[in-house]
């Protein structure tokens, strides 16, 4: 599930057509894999986002880019808060 999630986000960034942005995303995703590895206490973390991923793909396929961008901002804010909550429990 984590791999599919990262492929989706990498693909969204690749749609921008910027090699520099894709390189930054690749590095970010590599770091995130380390964080996700540490999240063994939350093995279902990614499954909670599968529906959101599906919705994002549908919006993009339908050409609803502004709606997808707004949904992605909310999605990323939520995921960040959840990840930081896990890190706080581990004592960062």
């Amino acid at each position: 599930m984590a791999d599919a999630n990262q492929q989706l986000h990498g693909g969204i960034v690749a749609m921008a057509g910027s090699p520099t942005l894709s390189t930054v995303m690749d590095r970010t995703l590599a770091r995130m894999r380390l964080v996700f590895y540490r999240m063994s206490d939350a093995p279902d973390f990614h499954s909670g986002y599968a529906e959101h991923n599906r919705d994002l793909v549908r919006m993009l396929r339908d050409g609803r880019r502004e709606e997808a961008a707004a949904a992605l901002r909310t999605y990323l804010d939520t995921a960040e808060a959840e990840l930081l909550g896990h890190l706080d429990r581990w004592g960062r």
Side-chain angles (χ1 to χ4, degrees):
M1 184 71 78
D3 288 342
N5 186 64
Q6 290 204 328
Q7 287 175 9
L8 171 71
H9 289 283
I12 290 171
V13 170
M15 288 170 40
S18 168
T20 301
L21 190 55
S22 289
T23 297
V24 169
M25 186 62 170
D26 289 345
R27 290 178 182 158
T28 300
L29 292 174
R31 289 183 181 114
M32 291 306 299
R33 276 190 281 283
L34 295 173
V35 172
F36 296 146
Y37 177 77
R38 179 93 192 264
M39 292 182 62
S40 60
D41 67 329
D44 63 338
F45 172 78
H46 291 287
S47 62
Y49 292 94
E51 186 174 327
H52 297 291
N53 289 345
R54 183 201 65 218
D55 293 343
L56 284 170
V57 169
R58 284 182 179 162
M59 285 180 240
L60 291 169
R61 282 186 180 157
D62 293 345
R64 299 170 10 221
R65 295 173 61 129
E66 294 297 322
E67 185 179 352
L72 184 56
R73 279 190 289 278
T74 300
Y75 171 118
L76 293 175
D77 288 343
T78 301
E80 177 185 37
E82 188 172 350
L83 284 170
L84 290 175
H86 285 283
L87 290 175
D88 284 342
R89 283 196 299 277
W90 299 324
R92 285 192 226 199

